[in-house]
Amino acid sequence: MRVAIGSDHAGFALKEKIKGFLLEFGCEIHDFGTHSEEPSVDYPDYGFKVGESVASGQSERGILICGSGIGMSIVANKIPGVYGALCNDPTTARLSRLHNNSNVLILGGRILHEEAAREIVKIWLETPFEGGRHVARFKKIESYESQMATFTPRPNGNPLIILDHPLIQHKVGIIRDKNTSVKEFRELVQEIAGLMVYEITRALSLEETEVETPINRTKVLTLSGKKLAIVPILRAGLGMVEGILRLIPNAKVGHIGLYRDPETLLPVEYYCKLPGDIEERDIFILDPMLATGGSSAAAIDLIKKRGGRKITLVCLISAPEGVALVHRNHPEVPIFTAALDSHLNDHGYIVPGLGDAGDRLFGTK
Ligand code: PRP
Ligand code: URA
């Protein structure tokens, strides 16, 4: 298990002991500091780093230690996707896993002795989430987070950007409706993709040039010869292409063919054709659905293998599981999405989602 760990100066001594326990328990450790008892440091600086590592999927669990555990607890629980539990005895450690599915353990370095901390960490690592009645409660927390998340930049170049513009949200509402016709669904997917172009191209660079208006000569801004590529994942990504090309008509278009094996939910590759100079281009991968994340992560792998470097993923509806997988495998790839939904069902479909995007676009159900 990959465990991120961090402390302030007051938790440093216990952190070092806990690192020894984690190695004994076979964990891989990512130590975010601090690295000494002196000087006095600010616990939020370390709490946010560890929390972000867990929320982005880079680490499976996190452990934070400050003097009492209280400051770190407040910090950790500010981060969507972190379920931090301040545990100073084995019982609360066990219950925080069984009932609350905690993914960050917070300890008081000035409260706990070494042996008690060892016991707490061991129990916390080994106890599974009990599920059952606790799932619905946990999902309510996740769903609240999804509703609150409008723009969630993640540090270290690892952003999830949710486009909450009212026009986009209105149209997403219509494509979710199972009674929306194939024709309307297709038109709306193009329109939403088109509206998303404003944000996904926000980082394009501009240069100054001059033009003659009917009145005088003036300086204007122009895109500085950027080379763009859009790469839809077949089939459903095709539904977004025209909407995007309408605004950036000079972009080259690559295609990646992947389908999800219905049994394993793993992506199966069947086609890949990219612009020859893909390594020079800003690449936008298009797929309406980011579910387990397997297809998108595989598409990013394929593009990287062919030399692609500057990659952005553009989706309409994403599940937290897919976001976490892409962030874990490709932490530098930003994800733009029109909605972050609650979770995946047992068949790997996004809940509430919109069903099978390919079937709804092409009327193949
Ligand atoms: C859908 C969708 C994504 C993939 C998402 O494609 O368009 O590519 O599922 O799921 P994942 O995140 O779990 O990989 P599908 O496999 O249904 O193929 P299709 O577009 O050809 O119908
Ligand atoms: N693919 C889809 O088209 N829809 C989902 O909900 C999940 C994967």
Side-chain angles (χ1 to χ4, degrees):
M1 184 186 291
R2 271 192 312 275
V3 180
I5 191 163
S7 74
D8 66 359
H9 54 287
F12 171 74
L14 187 58
K15 172 166 75 70
E16 295 306 297
K17 301 269 190 258
I18 290 175
K19 278 164 59 184
F21 307 153
L22 291 172
L23 288 176
E24 247 180 72
F25 302 149
C27 297
E28 187 186 318
I29 302 170
H30 191 174
D31 185 353
F32 285 90
T34 187
H35 298 292
S36 59
E37 271 178 336
E38 299 280 345
S40 163
V41 293
D42 298 334
Y43 58 85
D45 296 340
Y46 304 91
F48 284 127
K49 283 185 193 156
V50 168
E52 285 291 349
S53 175
V54 174
S56 68
Q58 280 173 331
S59 303
E60 289 152 84
R61 301 273 190 91
I63 299 181
L64 285 168
I65 311 134
C66 60
S68 66
I70 294 169
M72 285 296 197
S73 180
I74 292 170
V75 169
N77 283 302
K78 293 275 177 235
I79 302 166
V82 166
Y83 311 103
L86 171 54
C87 302
N88 284 324
D89 61 66
T91 306
T92 47
R94 183 177 293 105
L95 287 173
S96 86
R97 288 290 310 137
L98 284 173
H99 293 183
N100 311 108
N101 200 16
S102 66
N103 55 9
V104 174
L105 173 67
I106 300 138
L107 303 170
R110 290 178 176 151
I111 310 283
L112 288 169
H113 294 296
E114 182 180 333
E115 267 320 296
R118 186 180 196 284
E119 178 72 359
I120 289 169
V121 170
K122 184 169 190 303
I123 287 173
W124 185 74
L125 289 173
E126 290 176 352
T127 307
F129 180 41
E130 190 176 275
R133 67 188 189 280
H134 305 292
V135 172
R137 295 163 188 171
F138 185 72
K139 292 289 174 206
K140 284 188 180 180
I141 302 172
E142 281 189 326
S143 145
Y144 179 83
E145 285 175 337
S146 304
Q147 286 159 24
M148 296 303 289
T150 50
F151 181 90
T152 315
R154 300 198 186 258
N156 311 323
N158 186 16
L160 170 68
I161 297 128
I162 301 174
L163 301 183
D164 65 342
H165 191 284
L167 276 178
I168 294 180
Q169 294 307 310
H170 175 77
K171 289 171 196 285
V172 167
I174 303 174
I175 61 172
R176 286 187 191 277
D177 186 341
K178 66 177 184 185
N179 296 316
T180 296
S181 69
V182 170
K183 172 179 177 290
E184 204 184 352
F185 187 92
R186 212 177 271 154
E187 287 167 0
L188 284 164
V189 167
Q190 299 290 9
E191 285 175 22
I192 297 167
L195 290 168
M196 292 177 82
V197 171
Y198 293 106
E199 284 303 327
I200 66 175
T201 55
R202 185 175 278 283
L204 294 185
S205 42
L206 293 166
E207 62 191 17
E208 235 178 40
T209 180
E210 287 199 353
V211 298
E212 200 90 50
T213 77
I215 312 297
N216 69 352
R217 196 161 179 79
T218 186
K219 287 188 169 52
V220 292
L221 294 172
T222 175
L223 285 173
S224 55
K226 264 276 182 234
K227 287 180 151 189
L228 306 178
I230 57 176
V231 182
I233 301 179
L234 306 180
R235 289 176 297 168
L238 287 175
M240 300 166 72
V241 171
E242 285 307 318
I244 292 186
L245 279 182
R246 218 168 282 148
L247 289 152
I248 43 174
N250 292 326
K252 293 273 168 62
V253 184
H255 293 89
I256 290 180
L258 290 169
Y259 71 88
R260 252 187 5 166
D261 181 296
E263 297 297 323
T264 64
L265 300 184
L266 293 174
V268 181
E269 181 195 337
Y270 60 89
Y271 188 75
C272 183
K273 180 85 184 167
L274 301 175
D277 56 354
I278 194 72
E279 66 286 348
E280 294 171 25
R281 294 186 174 266
D282 276 31
I283 303 154
F284 298 98
I285 299 179
L286 312 180
D287 195 328
M289 309 304 277
L290 177 61
T292 63
S295 305
S296 293
I300 298 169
D301 276 333
L302 274 171
I303 291 176
K304 283 185 177 173
K305 278 192 195 126
R306 285 162 173 77
R309 291 280 162 271
K310 188 129 194 312
I311 302 170
T312 298
L313 178 61
V314 186
C315 307
L316 299 193
I317 300 198
S318 303
E321 294 88 334
V323 171
L325 184 87
V326 172
H327 277 162
R328 189 160 58 242
N329 292 4
H330 304 285
E332 79 292 0
V333 172
I335 303 173
F336 286 81
T337 186
L340 179 62
D341 277 11
S342 165
H343 63 282
L344 298 178
N345 68 15
D346 294 342
H347 305 287
Y349 276 86
I350 301 177
V351 181
L354 50 70
D356 187 305
D359 284 343
R360 296 204 57 193
L361 269 170
F362 297 107
T364 42
K365 186 81 187 150

